[in-house]
Amino acid sequence: MNDSSTTQVGTLYVVATPIGNLKDITLRAIEVLQNCDLVACEDTRHSQRLFQAHNINTKTLALHQHNENHGSTHIINMILGGDNIALISDAGTPLISDPGYPLLQLAHQHKIPVVPIPGPSAMIALLSVAAINTNPFVFHGFLPPKSQQRLTTYQSWQPLVATHVFYESSHRILTSVEQLLEVFGAETQVAMGRELTKTFEQVFRGNAGELLQLIQANRNYQKGEFVLAVQGENSTKSNTINGEQASLALSLKDHLPPKIAAKIVADHFKINKKQVYQFILDPEKND
């Protein structure tokens, strides 16, 4: 440790690490991890594989959800004494559903320089390839583990103005998708990333009904780490039915089931399908 009487306050680096493929780490991240005085890890044993792959020999210290309140104070004192310390999680960007919040709070309270070293994030990785609406999107981290709480969370997202993104575990993924379909319907557009950047990576894009069928059909699809996105309504869609739209809807209702007629009109005019459907059921309520 540096002599605090002759050195300035150190720096806290928040370093993103790979979410699977060990090559997904920036040159800057490697440089910081090699040259800092200590690396605070969520699990020091887990991080050794990454360190060995990139010739990182820096000392480590465990900082996880069970010790971070006490451990954070110790780390802050080291930085105040002049040490440069890096914070990493087991995978991805620290504090994004990972430990580190108490440490960052203390660092800012003590006016310690905090430097981000950006990199992988499962949430961003999925959104970058799913081609779903992300303007805007809301990130929820992990949803509540209990079934009723998770159902209530889904219900609170209605109406789907924004795209909602969340992480899910292997032992809850089936029930979670079943509830998702129950609340939003089988036609709701979703995306799922499973084991992103790993050997058995899988990216799904389609509707909720198709996703449920996929997961039910193969138990292997219930294993691993998951990130899901429920697409919000396109911001360009309108919630009102004008004369031309109403005319087409009324002409189709006598020949097609309401849901099919609504979809045809909504797709043609790029408007809200639910609004068209409600109009077909009760035209007099249209504003």
Side-chain angles (χ1 to χ4, degrees), residues 62-77 99-103 105-106:
L63 186 75
H64 46 72
Q65 62 178 342
H66 302 296
N67 77 342
E68 60 179 336
N69 289 324
H70 172 74
S72 295
T73 300
H74 175 61
I75 291 171
I76 291 298
N77 287 334
Y101 182 68
L103 176 61
Q105 273 193 316
L106 286 174

Side-chain angles (χ1 to χ4, degrees), residues 88-110:
I88 65 173
S89 62
D90 284 348
T93 302
L95 275 80
I96 307 301
S97 294
D98 283 329
Y101 182 68
L103 176 61
L104 267 292
Q105 273 193 316
L106 286 174
H108 287 296
Q109 289 173 10
H110 286 85

Side-chain angles (χ1 to χ4, degrees), residues 15-30 33 50 53-54 90-93 117-122 125 195-199 201:
V15 184
T17 55
I19 59 176
N21 193 316
L22 295 182
K23 295 180 181 179
D24 291 335
I25 187 169
T26 68
L27 296 175
R28 186 181 177 210
I30 295 173
L33 293 175
L50 174 69
H54 297 289
D90 284 348
T93 302
I117 310 297
S121 166
E195 294 290 88
L196 291 178
T197 79
K198 299 177 184 178
T199 302
E201 174 184 86

Side-chain angles (χ1 to χ4, degrees), residues 5 32 40 57 115 118 136 138 141 156 158 167 178 190 196 228 240 248 253 286:
S5 64
V32 167
N57 300 307
V115 177
V138 180
S156 72
Q158 293 182 310
Y167 293 154
E178 287 174 341
V190 298
L196 291 178
L228 294 97
T240 61
L248 178 59
K253 66 175 291 191
N286 185 50

